[in-house]
Amino acid sequence: MSKMTNDTLLRAAKGEETGHVPVWFMRQAGRSQPEYRALKEKYSLFEITHQPELCAYVTRLPVEQYDVDAAILYKDIMSPLPAIGVDVEIQSGIGPVINNPIQSLADVEKLGEITPEEDVPYVLDTIKLLTQEQLTVPLIGFAGAPFTVSSYMIEGRPSKDYKKTKAFMYSEPKAWFALMDKLANMTVTYLKAQIKAGASAIQIFDSWVGALNVEDYRYYIKPVMEKIFSELRNENVPMIMFGVGASHLANEWHDLPLDVVGLDWRLPIREARQKGITKSVMGNLDPALLLAPWDVLQEKTKAILDQGMDKPGYIFNLGHGVFPQVEPDTLKRLTSFIHEYSATKLQK
């Protein structure tokens, strides 16, 4: 069924030796690609993700253009929320806006459950199309983590300080843990369906959890993450964790039953390993460097690769997503450089 011929990413995620360092870029599909921008003039994100042929095209495009070692499903972390009763719309220039924010335990108790085959069949059809017919590299499925998803559900829109979310967490612990539980169940069910449809790795984005300190993370968040990863463990696919501005939580993630700790650019790979990270790591070029002159970008990339290649179990990525201003040619050239430089080093 699968046409996969390049499984470098899967091997690196398991800590195995590889002939070159695998690379993919967060937000590689989308905003920086002229073909995507042309599509967006006709269709909304919602419309693209609801049409498997179109969504598969957007997901596949960066693999064909840049020669990266993985595709990541083109969709939004909000995709499963309508199924459980969240009234969400993606507003241009703002992001996700939720018209029925969570304010009480009663609101949490009203939330339903997801049945992916009925609620998001288009997501599963896109995965099948990609993995059975189109891709020769692994497809990464993904979901938002409960803290990050709940921050939108409580704030009602993107936030800079998450004060409503934290206030709810501190003042309504019963409602908070009930919400974490509901979101954990949704995440597990949703990701299991993605894996069953053909995703061969998964990433959980806890984009905003860096807003919490370690003590609060351990108490309010870690148990729910433990539950999610433990329940997905039996699926036997590599699992990646990632968040931004969350270097202080890297060791907490490392404790979870996952395979790859994603790092942003604030924590050097060598330092993370010195602090006890023995699992595979992914990262961690500052995406702003993609706008720098090539010689600067090349030197910074080389330095990161040298740290990453100190031991097996390394995947190159950015420390966050590709900016819309990045030239596609830069990503293509960078991928080629990473492959060639790492292959020369690893084969010595």
Side-chain angles (χ1 to χ4, degrees), residues 180-233:
M180 291 298 100
D181 221 36
K182 290 248 181 180
L183 292 175
N185 292 339
M186 177 190 81
T187 306
V188 168
T189 305
Y190 184 44
L191 287 173
K192 278 186 174 176
Q194 289 184 42
I195 295 163
K196 188 179 171 194
S200 46
I202 56 154
Q203 177 155 320
I204 292 189
F205 285 90
D206 212 346
S207 307
W208 315 132
V209 79
L212 298 182
N213 64 34
V214 172
E215 190 185 347
D216 285 345
Y217 184 84
R218 279 182 190 153
Y219 183 72
Y220 293 102
I221 309 298
K222 204 169 179 180
V224 73
M225 299 312 293
E226 186 83 45
K227 174 181 167 158
I228 290 171
F229 286 115
S230 299
E231 290 194 24
L232 291 168
R233 199 68 264 166

Side-chain angles (χ1 to χ4, degrees), residues 24 26 143 145 148 203-209 229 240-246 253 258 260-265 282-284 317-321:
W24 66 280
M26 284 181 276
T148 292
Q203 177 155 320
I204 292 189
F205 285 90
D206 212 346
S207 307
W208 315 132
V209 79
F229 286 115
I240 309 166
M241 181 76 213
F242 178 75
V244 190
W253 294 349
L258 49 76
V260 183
V261 177
L263 303 174
D264 77 2
W265 65 91
M282 182 181 82
N284 64 344
N317 208 314
L318 306 174
H320 201 198

Side-chain angles (χ1 to χ4, degrees), residues 295-316:
D295 57 335
V296 177
L297 173 58
Q298 189 176 340
E299 279 312 302
K300 295 283 192 183
T301 300
K302 207 182 275 188
I304 290 170
L305 284 166
D306 288 343
Q307 292 189 38
M309 291 187 290
D310 274 349
K311 53 177 286 197
Y314 173 56
I315 298 163
F316 188 95

Side-chain angles (χ1 to χ4, degrees), residues 93-337:
I94 301 177
V97 174
I98 285 170
N99 300 309
N100 55 342
I102 297 281
Q103 293 171 326
S104 65
L105 180 60
D107 292 340
V108 175
E109 285 169 347
K110 277 185 209 145
L111 295 170
E113 291 184 359
I114 190 169
T115 308
E117 294 74 13
E118 291 167 25
D119 295 321
V120 285
Y122 47 90
V123 172
L124 307 182
D125 289 345
T126 304
I127 294 174
K128 287 172 190 164
L129 195 58
L130 284 160
T131 56
Q132 291 172 16
E133 296 175 28
Q134 298 179 352
L135 289 175
T136 55
V137 296
L139 176 69
I140 302 168
F142 74 88
F147 177 82
T148 292
V149 172
S150 71
S151 76
Y152 290 102
M153 291 169 71
I154 295 165
E155 305 279 341
R157 59 184 47 225
S159 167
K160 287 195 166 55
D161 51 26
Y162 310 99
K163 58 180 183 285
K164 279 188 191 170
T165 310
K166 290 185 187 181
F168 187 79
M169 184 176 87
Y170 294 134
S171 55
E172 304 277 350
K174 189 178 174 196
W176 176 262
F177 287 114
L179 178 58
M180 291 298 100
D181 221 36
K182 290 248 181 180
L183 292 175
N185 292 339
M186 177 190 81
T187 306
V188 168
T189 305
Y190 184 44
L191 287 173
K192 278 186 174 176
Q194 289 184 42
I195 295 163
K196 188 179 171 194
S200 46
I202 56 154
Q203 177 155 320
I204 292 189
F205 285 90
D206 212 346
S207 307
W208 315 132
V209 79
L212 298 182
N213 64 34
V214 172
E215 190 185 347
D216 285 345
Y217 184 84
R218 279 182 190 153
Y219 183 72
Y220 293 102
I221 309 298
K222 204 169 179 180
V224 73
M225 299 312 293
E226 186 83 45
K227 174 181 167 158
I228 290 171
F229 286 115
S230 299
E231 290 194 24
L232 291 168
R233 199 68 264 166
N234 304 335
E235 302 293 316
N236 290 319
V237 302
M239 299 187 285
I240 309 166
M241 181 76 213
F242 178 75
V244 190
S247 299
H248 58 296
L249 302 176
N251 285 71
E252 301 303 313
W253 294 349
H254 185 264
D255 289 347
L256 297 168
L258 49 76
D259 304 280
V260 183
V261 177
L263 303 174
D264 77 2
W265 65 91
R266 296 168 179 88
L267 178 63
I269 293 166
R270 199 162 279 149
E271 195 183 316
R273 286 180 173 149
Q274 283 162 355
K275 286 180 172 172
I277 304 250
T278 55
K279 290 183 174 175
S280 296
V281 291
M282 182 181 82
N284 64 344
L285 183 81
D286 184 337
L289 280 160
L290 297 171
L291 304 172
W294 173 252
D295 57 335
V296 177
L297 173 58
Q298 189 176 340
E299 279 312 302
K300 295 283 192 183
T301 300
K302 207 182 275 188
I304 290 170
L305 284 166
D306 288 343
Q307 292 189 38
M309 291 187 290
D310 274 349
K311 53 177 286 197
Y314 173 56
I315 298 163
F316 188 95
N317 208 314
L318 306 174
H320 201 198
V322 175
F323 297 125
Q325 298 80 3
V326 173
E327 291 294 332
D329 281 352
T330 305
L331 293 173
K332 183 174 183 170
R333 191 175 178 187
L334 184 61
T335 305
S336 167
F337 171 72

Side-chain angles (χ1 to χ4, degrees), residues 16-90:
E16 295 171 11
E17 294 199 0
T18 56
H20 68 266
V21 166
V23 51
W24 66 280
F25 303 106
M26 284 181 276
R27 294 197 182 133
Q28 63 188 13
R31 306 178 300 174
S32 64
Q33 296 179 293
E35 297 88 343
Y36 172 76
R37 286 208 283 266
L39 272 181
K40 281 286 280 183
E41 284 172 17
K42 291 190 212 163
Y43 306 102
S44 68
L45 180 143
F46 187 80
E47 288 166 333
I48 293 171
T49 55
H50 280 64
Q51 296 180 58
E53 291 280 351
L54 206 51
C55 192
Y57 167 72
V58 173
T59 301
R60 190 179 81 233
L61 199 58
V63 180
E64 293 170 356
Q65 289 186 341
Y66 311 145
D67 195 30
V68 286
D69 297 279
I72 183 155
L73 192 58
Y74 174 79
K75 61 183 177 63
D76 192 87
I77 61 171
M78 298 289 121
S79 300
L81 289 181
I84 65 167
V86 179
D87 180 3
V88 59
E89 51 182 320
I90 309 288

